[in-house]
Amino acid sequence: MPNDNFDQPLCIGPHRLMPGQRQTIDLPVGHLVTHQVLDLTVHVRRGEKPGPRLLVTAAIHGDEINGTEAIRRLLNRRMRHLAGDLILIPVVNLPAFVNRSRYLPDRRDLNRLFPGSKNGSFGARLADLLTKEIANQCTHAIDLHTGAVNRPNLPQIRYSDDVPGAKELAEVFCAPVTIASTVREGSFRDVFGRQGMVQLMYEGGEAGILEPAPVQLAINGVLSVMRHLQMLPQAKRTETRGKTVFCEQTTWQRAPRGGLFLPSVNLGAFVEEGMILGKIGDPLGRQKTPIFATHSGVVIGRLRNGVIDEGDGIFHIGLTRRVGAIAKSIQAAEADLDHGLDHPVFDEDVES
């Protein structure tokens, strides 16, 4: 999707940016309980040549910090040959980020408040600002997330199958697993879905924990998307990345009873229906109950709690029977991290 208004000023709040300009913009959202002004910090890079306008966001949930670190590293890349516009927001939900919390101070989930309202709650006003000032002006978006506390996710991409071009871009991102998923009403994805714009949601790692592998996979994926959109030149070295594996559906494997959770498989493992995934121990010492897989697929999420109740979701399974493809995809992702492609894990201030 091209940006037909590239030669025109990009207006964000009172700021007007012409092609070739870069600026960090602080948009006032409102006042906190201490009367301190809360700003939404937006980093804008405009290329000198026409191209798409890509938005990359993180920390819509304030404790999901892998995406924030990925954007921090992207900000340290020079990108002299950028075509189009790149907009980076490392922390969307600053109050939650400061509080190390998933939620806003009023316990609302910001990712259920879009497109927001300028006369609504604090979170609704933040959602309204992000939607009107930023999102509505973009052609593509990538929103970076992690799993919840004690629920790490295998790096994965989720996309809307009914949006033209979304599946292609998801494949280019090349996470180990890609899932066509429905859009939840009130989510940030919903903003783009209603307008038919391409938006990807990345999930990788666990809330509150900074993990190099999901961070680097996020960086690799964003740069791959930018190259595919011709926002950046192709990599100087040939990339040996594998192909992502598409999962048609996902399902939760639930605990058949409560007790001590003793898993025997981890993220990325391929499981077959009927195999033992672990055991549940009786805390009073009487017996152990095996956990049998009810579906075949790849483990894309897992509970880390040691004590569980009957019915708890303990393994999130992406349904696929492509065991060989799953193994190759995960091995290729690991190879990417080992070799660093042309953007090593801790390399900053490098040319793209």
Side-chain angles (χ1 to χ4, degrees):
M1 183 185 298
N3 177 13
D4 295 331
N5 299 318
F6 180 78
D7 293 333
Q8 302 299 316
L10 171 58
C11 299
I12 299 179
H15 305 276
R16 295 164 58 88
L17 285 80
M18 296 302 295
Q21 290 186 314
R22 300 183 179 190
Q23 189 170 346
T24 299
I25 298 171
D26 291 324
L27 295 176
V29 180
H31 291 80
L32 299 176
V33 66
T34 58
H35 289 200
Q36 180 181 357
V37 176
L38 175 74
D39 293 327
L40 177 66
T41 299
V42 182
H43 300 268
V44 182
R45 294 183 173 189
R46 300 210 68 191
E48 296 182 354
K49 299 178 181 179
R53 182 170 293 154
L54 172 65
L55 169 64
V56 185
T57 52
I60 281 183
H61 295 129
D63 58 356
E64 298 180 4
I65 60 176
N66 281 333
T68 299
E69 173 62 6
I71 291 179
R72 187 192 69 81
R73 295 185 192 173
L74 285 168
L75 285 167
N76 284 311
R77 302 182 70 91
R78 291 193 291 269
M79 297 188 189
R80 290 176 180 171
H81 304 292
L82 176 66
D85 301 326
L86 178 63
I87 302 176
L88 300 166
I89 306 179
V91 179
V92 172
N93 193 343
L94 187 58
F97 184 85
V98 171
N99 289 332
R100 280 75 160 175
S101 170
R102 175 185 177 89
Y103 301 110
L104 290 157
D106 63 0
R107 300 298 299 165
R108 294 189 184 188
D109 187 333
L110 178 59
N111 209 26
R112 303 292 182 268
L113 300 178
F114 288 93
S117 168
K118 66 178 182 180
N119 297 317
S121 65
F122 187 91
R125 297 180 188 210
L126 174 56
D128 177 75
L129 179 70
L130 178 57
T131 300
K132 292 179 178 177
E133 291 287 347
I134 311 294
N136 287 349
Q137 302 194 73
C138 296
T139 60
H140 301 77
I142 302 174
D143 190 23
L144 306 177
H145 287 259
T146 76
V149 174
N150 287 327
R151 289 185 180 273
N153 279 334
L154 180 74
Q156 60 196 258
I157 279 290
R158 301 181 185 182
Y159 73 99
S160 301
D161 205 22
D162 57 347
V163 175
K167 183 175 183 180
E168 178 184 6
L169 214 62
E171 188 170 16
V172 167
F173 193 102
C174 204
V177 171
T178 297
I179 304 162
S181 62
T182 57
V183 176
R184 187 187 293 269
E185 185 177 357
S187 67
F188 193 38
R189 287 180 66 195
D190 192 24
V191 169
F192 290 88
R194 292 183 183 187
Q195 301 180 59
M197 292 192 294
V198 178
Q199 195 258 17
L200 304 179
M201 185 174 73
Y202 172 78
E203 293 269 357
E206 179 182 348
I209 300 176
L210 203 55
E211 301 163 277
V215 169
Q216 188 61 47
L217 284 170
I219 295 170
N220 293 357
V222 170
L223 293 175
S224 293
V225 166
M226 293 180 69
R227 292 184 179 117
H228 178 76
L229 295 174
Q230 298 182 348
M231 297 178 69
L232 292 176
Q234 293 303 310
K236 296 178 181 179
R237 283 187 285 171
T238 302
E239 298 183 359
T240 58
R241 306 180 74 185
K243 293 184 178 180
T244 188
V245 173
F246 285 86
C247 293
E248 298 80 14
Q249 293 179 320
T250 68
T251 186
W252 276 97
Q253 176 89 35
R254 298 196 174 274
R257 66 186 307 162
L260 302 175
F261 180 39
L262 308 168
S264 57
V265 298
N266 211 330
L267 294 179
F270 181 83
V271 300
E272 294 190 12
E273 184 177 354
M275 76 176 282
I276 294 179
L277 305 181
K279 296 180 180 179
I280 299 173
D282 181 348
L284 302 181
R286 295 188 183 93
Q287 62 183 7
K288 289 182 180 178
T289 301
I291 305 167
F292 294 101
T294 55
H295 296 82
S296 296
V298 61
V299 179
I300 62 172
R302 207 206 81 181
L303 182 68
R304 290 203 306 117
N305 289 350
V307 179
I308 59 175
D309 291 314
E310 181 175 341
D312 281 353
I314 49 178
F315 295 103
H316 198 192
I317 309 296
L319 303 186
T320 179
R321 294 187 178 274
R322 300 178 61 196
V323 57
I326 284 289
K328 289 180 180 178
S329 177
I330 294 172
Q331 289 170 3
E334 292 173 346
D336 283 354
L337 299 174
D338 290 339
H339 295 99
L341 297 178
D342 64 337
H343 29 82
V345 174
F346 296 108
D347 191 11
E348 297 181 358
D349 195 27
V350 294
E351 183 60 62
S352 295

